[in-house]
């Protein structure tokens, strides 16, 4: 059994894309999109890890489904907070929201 | 009765809160939701204090291999800590949060957060642990941003959400790789599978991913930066929960994953120790320059997480070298410090909450003298500060001593000697600034601040008494903590 297949490589690449997005973008919506890309990548990795000889372990699809639901909850809360942040600051630029430091 | 009943009770009563809140507001009983929360947490506390050890499958008929729960001494200690502090905070909130908007949502989130933490402590499966972990984290983000009409909670909540979610996803990635390698996520099965692998590069990588993944929520440096923003921005009752127990759930997950599931590997012990030392040095130095009392306490929470990580690191390293006695002492010291800090920091945040409630300011100069005018709050906070400072007869001293003793077993190793020196220097520095804060709170003039209502000083007094009882009954407590450390390291249970 090899852990390295096309899907797990794609998942690792997607994680890199998502992490880059979170680290480099200033727009809050784009940061949340980056988090969502990482979530999707981890779900894909579960599917990649559940493939055993071409057959998918039902456990893996269950993990991915539950993790998607959790990811949706986090995204909903994040967007709700972003709406409030926009009302306070009038911008979505995260670099303008750095009143808290040290 | 098993752990599934405790969780079912917590989830069931969270539904009741919605009904109680609606009915209560219609009938003019604004505290109805609060009473339901207090009752649910009190029952959960009673139930979790007498859980028999063992493994439990909540849904035996379905044959789903995940969602297995476990009870051993370590998870019992942690779940008791979570429910008891949750109960005291709920009682405190009855008065403290009175008249705020959205109280139904507040109590619902508080109860679900406790349910998530208890679930983390009781789960016997990595994916189940992750689900409860996210329940705990999502409710914590929402509670930090509870007063969303101010800018500070929203900004702090967003920062907390982004950092902590990324950490959880890193941990989930590690879990998926573990699942791929072993075909299971059950703790006990993983332990026996990984024991045959031994000291390998891949195991070390997984341990590092799990450490930094869970470590973001546990606030280990360099991923602690959200904590001094998020904890002060929350209502004080929630700060007590976050600083007292939510970060301890992170410590529990790290300890369980590294000590129990994965086999001891070289290098990770040093990593834990030095990450811990970095965390406590950063926390202590940053705490020195704070003028805001809640930020001060938040930074001291970072420092205390550092001590706990040093203890776990010492235990890990000694376990690898086969020094079981020292390993046990290090982990037991870390666990005792978890209890100490949960009680002490919960107490201090409740006390500052009371003081801020009366004085309406978070600046330390404004709070000077309030230890004299608010008698009960003042005395309770003095006990909490002395306990965290580690003044000898109190338990805070013994936990640090046990961690130092765990390190002292490996004194031929230069890296450990350096760690021990830095650790002791940090403990002394921390003792200094706690005493300094204590002196400022009690200095000269008494302000004309009045004592708060009994519903608020009651929980403070209970926590202060708990700190003293912990020190008086140290030998009994140590027996439990040592059994807990044994269970955490998988030697028994």
């Amino acid at each position: 059994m090899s852990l390295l297949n096309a899907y797990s490589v794609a998942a690792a690449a997607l994680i890199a894309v998502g992490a880059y997005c979170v680290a480099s973008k200033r727009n809050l919506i784009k940061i949340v999109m980056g988090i969502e890309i990482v979530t999707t990548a981890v779900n894909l990795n579960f599917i990649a890890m559940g493939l055993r000889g071409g057959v998918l372990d039902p456990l893996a699809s269950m993990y991915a489904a539950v993790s998607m639901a959790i990811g949706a909850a986090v995204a909903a809360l994040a967007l709700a907070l972003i709406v409030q942040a926009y009302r306070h600051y009038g911008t979505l630029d995260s670099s303008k929201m750095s009143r808290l430091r040290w | 009765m098993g752990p599934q009943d405790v969780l079912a009770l917590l989830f069931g009563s969270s539904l009741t809160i919605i009904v109680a809140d609606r009915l209560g507001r219609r009938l003019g009983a604004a505290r109805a939701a609060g009473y339901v929360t207090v009752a649910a947490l009190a029952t959960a506390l009673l139930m979790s204090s007498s859980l028999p050890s063992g493994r439990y499958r909540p849904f035996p008929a379905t044959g789903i291999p995940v969602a297995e729960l476990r009870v051993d001494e370590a998870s019992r200690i942690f779940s008791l800590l979570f429910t008891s502090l949750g109960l005291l905070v709920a009682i405190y909130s009855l008065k403290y949060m009175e008249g705020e908007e959205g109280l139904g949502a507040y109590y619902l989130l508080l109860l679900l957060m406790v349910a998530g933490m208890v679930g983390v402590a009781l789960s016997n499966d990595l994916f189940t642990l992750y689900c409860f972990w996210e329940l705990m984290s999502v409710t914590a983000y929402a509670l930090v941003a509870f007063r969303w009409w101010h800018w500070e909670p929203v900004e702090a909540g967003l920062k907390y959400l982004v950092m902590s979610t990324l950490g959880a996803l890193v941990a989930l990635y590690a879990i998926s790789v573990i699942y791929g390698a072993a075909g299971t996520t059950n703790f006990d099965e993983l332990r026996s599978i990984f024991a045959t692998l031994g000291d390998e590069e891949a195991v070390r990588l997984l341990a590092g991913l799990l450490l930094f993944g869970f470590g973001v929520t546990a606030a280990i440096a360099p991923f602690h930066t959200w904590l001094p923003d998020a904890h002060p921005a929350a209502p004080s009752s929630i700060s007590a929960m976050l600083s007292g127990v939510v970060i301890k759930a992170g410590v529990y997950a790290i300890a369980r994953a590294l000590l129990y599931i994965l086999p001891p590997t070289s290098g990770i012990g040093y990593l834990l120790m030095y990450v811990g030392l970095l965390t406590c040095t950063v926390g202590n130095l940053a705490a020195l320059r704070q003028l805001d009392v809640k930020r001060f306490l938040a930074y001291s929470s970072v420092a205390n997480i550092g001590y706990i990580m040093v203890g776990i690191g010492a235990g890990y390293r000694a376990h690898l070298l086969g020094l079981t006695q020292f390993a046990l002492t290090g982990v037991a010291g870390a666990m005792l410090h978890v209890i100490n800090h949960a009680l002490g920091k919960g107490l201090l945040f409740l006390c500052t909450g009371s003081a801020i409630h009366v004085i309406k300011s978070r600046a330390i100069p404004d709070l000077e003298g309030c230890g004299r005018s608010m008698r009960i709050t003042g005395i309770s906070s003095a006990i909490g500060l002395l306990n965290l400072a580690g003044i000898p007869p109190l338990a805070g001293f013994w936990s640090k001593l046990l961690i130092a003793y765990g390190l002292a077993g490996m004194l031929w190793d230069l890296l450990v000697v350096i760690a021990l020196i830095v650790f002791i220097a940090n403990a002394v520095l921390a003792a200094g600034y706690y005493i300094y804060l204590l002196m400022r709170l009690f200095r000269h003039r008494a302000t004309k601040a009045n004592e708060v209502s009994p519903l608020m000083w009651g929980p403070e007094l209970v926590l202060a008494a708990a700190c003293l009882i912990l020190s008086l009954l140290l030998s009994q407590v140590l027996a439990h903590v040592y059994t807990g450390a044994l269970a955490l390291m998988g030697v028994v249970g």
Side-chain angles (χ1 to χ4, degrees):
Chain A
M1 177 197 66
S2 163
L3 292 183
L4 211 61
N5 54 32
Y7 300 109
S8 61
V9 173
L14 269 178
I15 285 183
V17 171
Y20 173 76
C21 181
V22 173
S24 66
K25 296 294 172 189
R26 282 193 186 165
N27 189 312
L28 287 174
I29 301 281
K30 287 181 183 167
I31 291 177
V32 172
M33 284 166 75
I35 292 177
E36 286 307 299
I37 292 173
V38 179
T39 314
T40 314
V42 174
N43 293 342
L44 179 62
N45 202 50
F46 265 116
I47 300 297
M49 295 292 152
L51 279 176
R52 311 217 180 270
V55 184
L56 183 62
D57 185 356
L59 209 55
S61 42
M62 191 206 74
Y63 286 154
V66 173
S67 161
M68 274 166 160
I70 293 173
V74 173
L77 184 62
L79 291 174
L81 286 179
I82 289 173
V83 170
Q84 290 307 325
Y86 185 75
R87 286 195 184 149
H88 285 296
Y89 293 90
T91 173
L92 286 174
D93 190 342
S94 64
S95 63
K96 298 225 167 65
M97 293 179 199
S98 47
R99 281 202 251 175
L100 290 174
R101 60 183 67 214
W102 288 107
Chain B
M1 192 176 68
Q4 66 270 34
D5 299 320
V6 179
L7 291 170
L9 171 84
L10 289 171
F11 284 115
S13 22
S14 65
L15 296 176
T16 323
I17 287 179
I18 304 170
V19 180
D21 182 52
R22 288 280 158 80
L23 269 180
R25 266 188 295 170
R26 192 160 298 170
L27 301 175
R31 282 186 187 166
Y35 290 138
V36 174
T37 315
V38 170
L41 286 171
T43 321
L45 177 60
L46 283 178
M47 283 165 80
S48 56
S49 62
S50 58
L51 284 179
S53 298
R55 311 279 185 273
Y56 299 85
R57 288 256 166 108
F59 312 110
T62 53
I64 301 174
V66 292
E68 192 176 80
L69 301 173
R70 72 180 290 133
V71 180
D72 59 25
E73 194 66 26
S75 46
R76 202 179 296 128
I77 290 175
F78 274 88
S79 57
L80 269 178
L81 207 56
F82 298 156
T83 44
S84 49
L85 201 65
L87 172 64
L88 291 172
V89 164
I91 295 173
Y92 182 87
S93 305
L94 286 177
K95 182 73 190 166
Y96 178 75
M97 296 298 287
E98 201 172 41
E100 296 244 5
E101 258 176 75
L103 273 186
Y106 172 84
Y107 286 112
L108 181 65
L109 289 169
L110 178 63
L111 193 65
L112 283 177
M113 185 164 80
V114 176
M117 284 187 287
V118 172
V120 166
L122 293 177
S123 53
N124 193 31
D125 181 281
L126 275 174
F127 194 75
T128 315
L129 187 144
Y130 172 76
C131 292
F132 282 118
W133 179 270
E134 282 292 316
L135 175 65
M136 169 191 94
S137 311
V138 169
T139 48
Y141 313 146
L143 281 170
V144 165
F146 182 69
R147 289 172 174 155
W148 48 264
W149 48 91
H150 297 303
W151 64 269
E152 189 191 357
V154 173
E155 186 181 325
L158 259 177
K159 197 171 174 184
Y160 182 18
L161 185 145
V162 171
M163 289 187 73
S164 192
T165 303
L166 278 178
L169 286 172
V170 169
L172 187 65
Y173 185 73
I175 292 172
S176 76
V177 175
I178 288 176
Y179 163 72
T184 174
T185 46
N186 186 289
F187 286 178
D188 301 304
E189 289 170 24
L190 284 177
R191 183 175 163 84
S192 50
I193 291 170
F194 274 104
T196 58
L197 273 178
D199 196 347
E200 271 194 36
E201 201 63 49
V203 177
R204 231 167 286 157
L205 193 65
L206 284 176
L209 283 178
L210 285 172
L211 168 63
F212 286 111
F214 289 133
V216 176
T217 304
I220 60 174
F223 305 114
H224 67 284
T225 48
W226 60 268
L227 189 145
D229 297 335
H231 287 192
S236 288
S237 48
I238 295 306
S239 313
M241 281 306 276
L242 293 173
S243 257
V245 287
V246 171
I247 51 179
K248 305 308 185 312
V251 170
Y252 173 83
I254 291 172
R256 183 62 88 185
L258 296 194
L259 294 172
Y260 189 80
I261 298 171
L262 298 176
T265 50
S266 55
I268 293 294
Y270 287 131
L271 181 68
L272 277 166
M273 254 186 256
Y274 276 86
V275 160
L277 287 175
L278 179 67
T279 310
C280 60
T281 312
V282 167
N284 279 330
L285 291 181
L288 283 177
R289 44 174 289 182
Q290 298 306 320
L291 284 178
D292 175 340
V293 67
K294 285 182 85 176
R295 275 181 97 77
F296 171 86
L297 291 176
Y299 269 115
S300 108
S301 288
V302 175
N304 279 287
I305 286 294
Y307 303 144
I308 296 165
M309 296 314 293
V310 172
I312 293 174
Y316 192 97
R317 180 79 191 150
H319 187 52
L320 176 71
L321 298 175
L323 304 165
T324 315
Q325 192 55 42
F326 289 103
L328 204 56
T329 312
V331 178
M335 278 187 71
L336 186 61
H337 201 72
V338 164
I339 300 174
N340 269 330
H341 182 248
L343 297 177
K345 196 50 67 70
L347 167 63
L348 286 177
F349 265 117
L350 292 189
C351 289
T352 47
S354 300
I356 293 165
H357 197 66
V358 174
I359 296 173
K360 307 269 183 272
S361 166
R362 276 163 39 177
I364 292 177
D366 293 341
L367 296 175
E368 269 179 14
C370 73
R372 291 196 175 196
S373 46
M374 303 170 71
R375 283 284 166 74
I376 300 172
T377 302
I379 292 171
S380 309
S381 60
I383 294 171
L385 282 169
L386 288 174
N387 190 28
L388 284 184
I391 304 303
L394 289 166
F397 171 71
W398 298 106
S399 57
K400 286 177 190 166
L401 188 70
L402 284 180
I403 294 172
Y405 182 74
L407 283 172
M410 298 168 285
L411 279 187
W412 66 85
D413 189 343
L414 187 64
L415 282 172
V416 176
V417 175
I418 297 171
L420 184 60
I421 293 168
V422 177
F423 177 75
I424 292 174
N426 265 297
V428 172
L429 176 66
Y433 69 65
Y434 284 124
I435 303 289
Y436 174 68
L437 181 67
L438 185 64
M439 279 165 58
R440 290 193 78 163
L441 287 182
F442 280 87
R443 201 155 65 178
H444 36 252
R445 64 197 195 297
T447 50
K448 55 182 188 303
N450 295 319
E451 186 54 88
V452 285
S453 112
L455 275 177
M456 278 166 77
W457 61 251
E460 292 164 9
L461 209 58
V462 171
L463 281 171
C467 286
L468 290 179
I469 291 171
L470 203 64
S471 319
L472 287 175
L473 300 179
L474 195 70
S475 53
Q476 283 95 322
V477 174
L478 274 182
H480 281 285
V481 166
Y482 265 91
T483 326
L486 280 171
L488 209 51
M489 295 168 68
V491 186
V492 294

